[in-house]
Amino acid sequence: MSVFLDKKFEELDWISQAMEPIDSELNEYLSVLPDELDITFDLIVDMCKDHYSFNLSLIHIVPHLLRLHYGNKYKSTTWKQKMMLEKCFQFKSEGDSLIIDFENKSISGGKIKLVKIRSTMDEKDLEEYLGADGVMAIRGNYSYNQDCCSRMNEVMELLGSCENGLKSKSSRIKAHVISSRLKDIFKKNEWKIKDTTLANKIGYWIDDYIANNNLASLSNFCRLKVMTHKGQPIYSMEEVV
Amino acid sequence: MREVLLKYTKDFTTSKPVFTLKVTNSEISINRAPLNKFKPTPIEGDTLSRLVCSCFSEDFSTGMGGFVISRDDIVKSAIFKVNREMLSFVERYSPLRNPRQGKLHKFMRKGLYDSRGDDLQDSIIMLYKYMVEKTVPESIPEVEKKQHVKNILVLLENLMEKYSEESK
């Protein structure tokens, strides 16, 4: 039954297996970023070039730093991820009268620092984040049409408790029921998924199957569904590409 | 007349790109107003110089790391201001009960966004100069001001007739 084996869970030490912490790539991102960073003139200019605003907020600087520190391995972060990472940092300034001089390319009157205030993501935040991006992928896809309805019905039967969606003929209502049911599953931790990347993939698989009739995505979703019957926490699964 | 207005911008420079920074826990914001903002000084008693100086504007370019000005844009903005003020003048002093429905208002309104011929635009700028110098200062008696207002309205109507005929 190696198809349904959760390798990541097997590799965890016994304390982790007992505690069942939520694993997330956000913790990996966080560990790469420095605990303290001087905000220099060049960094401010570099950031201001990227967007129109004259203000530099955490939500802009954190992905920028990830790109710098993570190099090619860095995949773009979603808005939700940015918002979560933002909570782990703060700007701190020394000096009351800070002045930026574009002519002399300098900051005077004090120093500005970016300080990491949390070294790991909060478990409660991660619980809320489970599957959120995947749910958004379904909710934000407006290309579902009547041809997708039969596939949507299949997904709803797999998800269970989707009677309203099955009765309806509207693809929009069906999509709404699917995304709400998925959100509910993660909220109540029905499937015991403990990895944010895996949890997010579920929504993307469902979306891919409904919109593009991709059978590999359906297969992945079904495998995961089978794994949930064991009642054990799920950290990983073997995917079909 | 554009060249004349352009000459007034000759001495315009830009502000130094030095700003104050405000830091909160979640944001670093740069105060958009520079510490030493450049303010052009109009030539005393020169209406057109005052007009051009009042239209001074500069933009900050992050790429260039400083302020940039477009003299042409300042002149365009000055001409627009002239047209707008003259339109307001017509609205305020027209003898008609509803000036906005009058031909003169329509003529002036049309020129606000459509480009006019240079001759007509120059005449309107000169009328603006006349209007500012003769109808605005408090030192001029009201009776005299009224005469100047009438003069300007008549001149504007003449311009309208002349240039409307030409366009036909």
Side-chain angles (χ1 to χ4, degrees):
Chain A
M1 296 295 277
S2 66
V3 173
F4 301 111
L5 190 72
D6 184 351
K7 282 181 189 164
K8 209 167 169 181
F9 179 70
E10 299 291 329
E11 284 165 11
L12 290 177
D13 55 63
W14 69 270
I15 298 178
S16 301
Q17 283 193 354
M19 297 289 287
E20 299 175 10
I22 296 175
D23 195 14
S24 174
E25 77 270 34
L26 291 175
N27 277 328
E28 216 175 301
Y29 286 153
L30 206 53
S31 65
V32 170
L33 295 173
D35 293 342
E36 214 174 84
L37 180 84
D38 282 332
I39 302 292
T40 59
F41 172 83
D42 290 334
L43 186 64
I44 290 182
V45 172
D46 211 19
M47 288 299 305
C48 287
K49 270 183 199 166
D50 286 353
H51 53 100
Y52 177 74
S53 169
F54 226 37
N55 298 345
L56 187 60
S57 60
L58 287 171
I59 211 149
H60 293 118
I61 198 165
V62 172
H64 183 79
L65 291 176
L66 276 170
R67 266 194 297 276
L68 290 178
H69 286 82
Y70 226 72
N72 293 333
K73 278 196 237 166
Y74 173 71
K75 292 173 271 172
S76 64
T77 39
T78 61
W79 188 253
K80 182 85 182 164
Q81 285 176 324
K82 283 176 195 169
M83 281 173 72
M84 290 180 68
L85 286 168
E86 183 194 33
K87 286 182 190 172
C88 304
F89 292 91
Q90 257 182 17
F91 287 119
K92 294 260 161 77
S93 66
E94 295 164 8
D96 295 333
S97 50
L98 287 159
I99 285 167
I100 184 164
D101 185 342
F102 282 84
E103 209 166 51
N104 297 318
K105 299 184 176 175
S106 63
I107 294 174
S108 57
K111 272 188 172 184
I112 311 171
K113 282 181 179 177
L114 179 73
V115 182
K116 197 195 279 181
I117 51 168
R118 284 186 203 165
S119 52
T120 53
M121 300 299 297
D122 196 47
E123 192 82 358
K124 272 190 181 173
D125 286 344
L126 288 177
E127 267 173 34
E128 278 175 30
Y129 175 57
L130 276 173
D133 290 336
V135 171
M136 278 309 292
I138 299 169
R139 199 161 275 185
N141 192 337
Y142 289 90
S143 67
Y144 300 146
N145 52 32
Q146 287 304 310
D147 299 339
C148 303
C149 284
S150 61
R151 294 195 287 277
M152 285 172 143
N153 289 344
E154 286 172 39
V155 170
M156 280 189 280
E157 273 165 14
L158 285 166
L159 289 172
S161 307
C162 294
E163 286 72 24
N164 288 342
L166 287 164
K167 275 181 210 163
S168 171
K169 285 180 180 174
S170 154
S171 58
R172 263 335 295 158
I173 291 174
K174 284 179 192 290
H176 180 73
V177 169
I178 291 172
S179 60
S180 301
R181 172 69 185 128
L182 211 51
K183 203 175 169 187
D184 206 37
I185 285 170
F186 291 118
K187 199 177 171 186
K188 291 176 182 165
N189 198 15
E190 281 182 36
W191 289 355
K192 285 195 163 184
I193 293 172
K194 296 286 180 182
D195 185 279
T196 56
T197 315
L198 180 64
N200 279 324
K201 277 181 183 174
I202 299 170
Y204 290 118
W205 287 333
I206 292 175
D207 175 55
D208 192 25
Y209 174 61
I210 295 172
N212 309 318
N213 196 14
N214 187 340
L215 292 175
S217 294
L218 177 68
S219 164
N220 287 328
F221 175 48
C222 289
R223 274 187 199 199
L224 186 93
K225 186 74 208 313
V226 171
M227 285 172 79
T228 61
H229 292 303
K230 279 200 240 171
Q232 276 192 343
I234 304 171
Y235 282 87
S236 67
M237 62 165 274
E238 204 176 297
E239 271 181 66
V240 181
V241 185
Chain B
M1 189 57 81
R2 277 171 210 270
E3 283 70 34
V4 175
L5 296 180
L6 207 56
K7 269 184 194 167
Y8 287 112
T9 67
K10 196 179 66 186
D11 297 330
F12 287 180
T13 58
T14 54
S15 307
K16 284 202 166 187
V18 182
F19 308 89
T20 52
L21 280 173
K22 193 183 163 198
V23 181
T24 62
N25 285 345
S26 61
E27 197 174 64
I28 301 172
S29 50
I30 303 174
N31 187 350
R32 280 190 169 269
L35 279 178
N36 297 310
K37 191 167 170 55
F38 172 75
K39 277 183 189 163
T41 323
I43 301 164
E44 209 172 317
D46 189 332
T47 311
L48 293 183
S49 166
R50 209 163 50 236
L51 165 76
V52 174
C53 288
S54 72
C55 293
F56 172 80
S57 71
E58 57 186 352
D59 291 314
F60 184 75
S61 157
T62 320
M64 291 173 75
F67 283 98
V68 283
I69 55 166
S70 163
R71 290 170 209 280
D72 280 337
D73 285 350
I74 293 171
V75 169
K76 271 183 203 165
S77 156
I79 292 173
F80 183 78
K81 188 176 177 183
V82 166
N83 291 335
R84 205 181 53 217
E85 297 265 316
M86 292 309 285
L87 184 69
S88 308
F89 178 86
V90 170
E91 272 175 28
R92 193 169 166 199
Y93 294 112
S94 170
L96 298 175
R97 191 176 289 172
N98 189 352
R100 284 173 181 240
Q101 303 227 316
K103 277 183 187 174
L104 187 58
H105 191 275
K106 195 180 169 188
F107 171 71
M108 295 303 291
R109 204 169 54 219
K110 194 171 178 285
L112 208 55
Y113 298 102
D114 295 348
S115 61
R116 287 174 164 140
D118 281 348
D119 287 351
L120 175 58
Q121 191 58 65
D122 290 356
S123 311
I124 289 173
I125 292 171
M126 291 318 291
L127 275 179
Y128 166 82
K129 189 170 180 266
Y130 176 41
M131 183 222 18
V132 172
E133 286 170 6
K134 300 291 180 187
T135 68
V136 177
E138 285 179 7
S139 56
I140 299 173
E142 283 301 314
V143 188
E144 213 174 297
K145 275 186 188 175
K146 276 183 186 171
Q147 285 304 317
H148 290 305
V149 167
K150 273 185 188 173
N151 278 348
I152 294 167
L153 284 173
V154 169
L155 286 166
L156 277 174
E157 273 176 14
N158 286 345
L159 278 175
M160 177 184 72
E161 276 167 24
K162 184 185 170 192
Y163 286 95
S164 300
E165 271 173 24
E166 266 185 20
S167 65
K168 280 174 192 173

